[in-house]
Amino acid sequence: MAIYSGGGVIIMITSVKKNYNKYNNEFESYELTRDGITMCVPLDEANTDYQAIQEWAKIEGNNIIDNGA
């Protein structure tokens, strides 16, 4: 699914998964796959990848994968 980010840049997000801390089981980041690249995105509202995930998740049919802690 394509979304628009700041400056009109088109970003192709393939998947988003929640990452949990293996020691305390707290949700700590997202695993984002976009434009064929997988990266870890912190839970930081100022982060542009975090913002893109939030907008992507609002689109019907896009679901963040949550396999639990």
Side-chain angles (χ1 to χ4, degrees), residues 1-9 11 13 16 27 29-30 32 34 39-59 62 64:
M1 177 64 63
I3 68 163
Y4 292 91
S5 184
V9 176
I11 299 172
I13 295 178
V16 178
F27 171 47
S29 63
Y30 290 106
L32 169 67
R34 75 162 208 215
M39 64 189 78
C40 185
V41 177
L43 304 178
D44 178 0
E45 292 180 8
N47 183 292
T48 56
D49 289 318
Y50 177 88
Q51 294 168 11
I53 289 169
Q54 301 312 306
E55 291 302 313
W56 177 84
K58 292 178 185 177
I59 299 170
N62 292 341
I64 296 174

